[in-house]
Amino acid sequence: MRVTFVLPPLTFSGGARVVSIYAKALSRNGHEVTLVSTPHPQKTFTAKLKSFLKTRIWPHDISQPSHLNNQGLNYRVIDEARPITDNDVPDADVVIATWWETAEWVNKLSAKKGEKFYFVQGYEIFDYLPIDRCKATYRMPLHKIVVAKWLQDIMRNEYEDFDVDLVHNSVDKTQFYAQERNKQPRPTVGFLFAHAKTKGVDVTLQAIAEIKKRIPNLRIVSFGAKLPHGTPYWDSSIEFFHTPAQDKIKDIYAQCDVWLTASRSEGFNLPAMEAMTCRTPIVASDTGWPSEAIENYRNGMLVPIDDIDALIEGAFWVLGLDNQQWKEVSEAAYQTVADSSWEKSAALFEQALLKRIRHKSAINSFPDEANK
């Protein structure tokens, strides 16, 4: 099977990592995989000046690293920031859009570029995007593969698309793991830092400030790909790890008694799954995969979006457990994800592609039989 992924400009995002995992898995299984993306747009002098005034760091036009770099994959970046067309992608059996804008491009490709898919890792209906165009992509005749049940529900309920494959994300158990442990001698909370408003870091930081008032010796750890310059509510005592090595992230999770994630919108929320794989209970907002995985007072706490008080209450519940109770919740968090694996997820992703190709082939070969 010849497979092409069509991508936007890439960074170290979770979505790009998932694509790289599936691309490598398909390649290992003997499929011919090509990945095509656009380059990052070059910033104007005015944009650079605005960035400098905000961060005091002068930005440079350099290619950004991503999870596709140095992976041995057939990864191509086209010549300029523009829509991807037939001339940019090879003829194939399958072509997969990975973002709303790439869905527009894939929808316009000729049939010889392959059966058209839309890999949906989030519901991209945000104020900073052209909402009508984004919604239109979900109505296009692209077969959807989604990463979480809530996305499958939206495609069914909002767009009347009932033929949607659900393939959950997973965690690399060779990268994310932890031994059974006790509560930390010093109460410790952790969170992932990001500037994007959708990640709700402002809510997390306000909650932590209140928690610290009652637990003055609270230890706070965080990591992220961007530095927290100018972040409101930032606590100077936070131990921040900037772009830590991938094999060190598990140690950050495993230092925590509880992991906080207050996202306003999540397609999946891989860090929540990673933390639970490292035996850390989470308190999460009701969005993405945690909505279907968290059972209150068993493996963590699920709280309403933007509810600072509920986030605080959830954190205090975990931090207030005695050692044995905490170990039971820690074990429940771990068991929630114990059976998941990227091997299983990749197999399901591959099956979704093959199933659609076979179905289309049957329709083309025997239209009367296929439609019975």
Side-chain angles (χ1 to χ4, degrees), residues 17 171 175-178 181 184 188-193 219 221-224 241 244-261 269-282 326 330:
R17 177 162 46 142
V171 170
Q175 179 181 347
F176 297 101
Y177 56 88
R181 63 182 185 275
Q184 299 296 327
T188 305
V189 302
F191 68 96
L192 178 69
F193 176 76
R219 183 181 177 216
V221 298
S222 178
F223 72 93
F241 300 87
Q246 290 294 303
D247 62 351
K248 300 298 182 183
I249 296 176
K250 69 180 187 302
D251 301 322
I252 300 173
Y253 289 130
Q255 294 176 47
C256 299
D257 294 313
V258 60
W259 190 261
L260 304 182
T261 171
N269 198 334
L270 266 175
M273 180 178 270
E274 292 166 357
M276 293 172 76
T277 305
C278 295
R279 300 180 181 273
T280 301
I282 69 169
W326 183 88
S330 169

Side-chain angles (χ1 to χ4, degrees), residues 179-185 254 256-257 323-324 326-327:
Q179 298 298 317
E180 292 184 30
R181 63 182 185 275
N182 295 316
K183 286 184 70 177
Q184 299 296 327
C256 299
D257 294 313
N323 189 62
Q324 183 56 39
W326 183 88
K327 290 179 69 173

Side-chain angles (χ1 to χ4, degrees), residues 18-294:
V18 174
V19 169
S20 73
I21 289 168
Y22 288 151
K24 286 189 288 186
L26 289 167
S27 295
R28 285 194 300 269
N29 287 347
H31 303 294
E32 184 180 328
V33 180
T34 303
L35 304 104
V36 182
S37 79
T38 56
H40 289 271
Q42 301 297 299
K43 292 183 177 180
T44 65
F45 176 81
T46 300
K48 290 180 180 180
L49 181 59
K50 286 182 179 179
S51 177
F52 173 76
L53 293 174
K54 181 178 180 180
T55 66
R56 297 299 172 184
I57 299 174
W58 187 261
H60 298 282
D61 290 325
I62 57 175
S63 59
Q64 296 190 34
S66 81
H67 291 286
L68 294 182
N69 295 119
N70 304 315
Q71 296 295 316
L73 294 166
N74 182 12
Y75 170 41
R76 310 174 186 173
V77 180
I78 66 171
D79 55 347
E80 59 181 319
R82 57 170 176 77
I84 287 174
T85 67
D86 270 18
N87 292 331
D88 302 308
V89 298
D91 293 352
D93 302 298
V94 168
V95 59
I96 306 169
T98 57
W99 160 254
W100 72 269
E101 198 170 17
T102 67
E104 292 183 332
W105 305 339
V106 166
N107 191 49
K108 294 178 181 178
L109 295 177
S110 64
K112 64 183 180 180
K113 301 306 173 181
E115 181 68 12
K116 298 174 181 179
F117 286 78
Y118 192 175
F119 185 32
V120 181
Q121 298 195 65
Y123 189 46
E124 294 147 3
I125 307 302
F126 302 117
D127 291 341
Y128 59 86
L129 294 176
I131 291 176
D132 289 342
R133 286 175 61 190
C134 293
K135 287 184 175 180
T137 65
Y138 300 119
R139 297 188 179 93
M140 291 174 178
L142 314 177
H143 183 73
K144 301 180 190 73
I145 302 175
V146 300
V147 298
K149 185 177 183 301
W150 79 276
L151 290 168
Q152 188 179 49
D153 291 342
I154 283 180
M155 298 309 150
R156 289 172 172 172
N157 299 332
E158 299 293 326
Y159 301 94
E160 298 183 344
D161 187 347
F162 297 92
D163 186 19
V164 176
D165 284 296
L166 170 60
V167 180
H168 281 121
N169 289 339
S170 189
V171 170
D172 183 349
K173 304 292 178 58
T174 66
Q175 179 181 347
F176 297 101
Y177 56 88
Q179 298 298 317
E180 292 184 30
R181 63 182 185 275
N182 295 316
K183 286 184 70 177
Q184 299 296 327
R186 179 182 173 191
T188 305
V189 302
F191 68 96
L192 178 69
F193 176 76
H195 285 286
K197 183 179 179 181
T198 56
K199 297 302 181 182
V201 170
D202 57 323
V203 174
T204 299
L205 290 172
Q206 290 177 78
I208 286 174
E210 292 301 315
I211 296 167
K212 193 174 178 182
K213 288 178 182 178
R214 289 171 53 182
I215 308 177
N217 69 329
L218 183 72
R219 183 181 177 216
I220 313 160
V221 298
S222 178
F223 72 93
K226 301 289 186 179
L227 292 168
H229 294 304
T231 300
Y233 313 111
W234 187 262
D235 188 313
S236 60
S237 71
I238 294 173
E239 299 175 35
F240 181 71
F241 300 87
H242 179 223
T243 316
Q246 290 294 303
D247 62 351
K248 300 298 182 183
I249 296 176
K250 69 180 187 302
D251 301 322
I252 300 173
Y253 289 130
Q255 294 176 47
C256 299
D257 294 313
V258 60
W259 190 261
L260 304 182
T261 171
S263 297
R264 295 182 171 95
S265 177
E266 283 284 358
F268 191 82
N269 198 334
L270 266 175
M273 180 178 270
E274 292 166 357
M276 293 172 76
T277 305
C278 295
R279 300 180 181 273
T280 301
I282 69 169
V283 178
S285 51
D286 190 1
T287 179
W289 172 79
S291 296
E292 57 185 288
I294 297 302

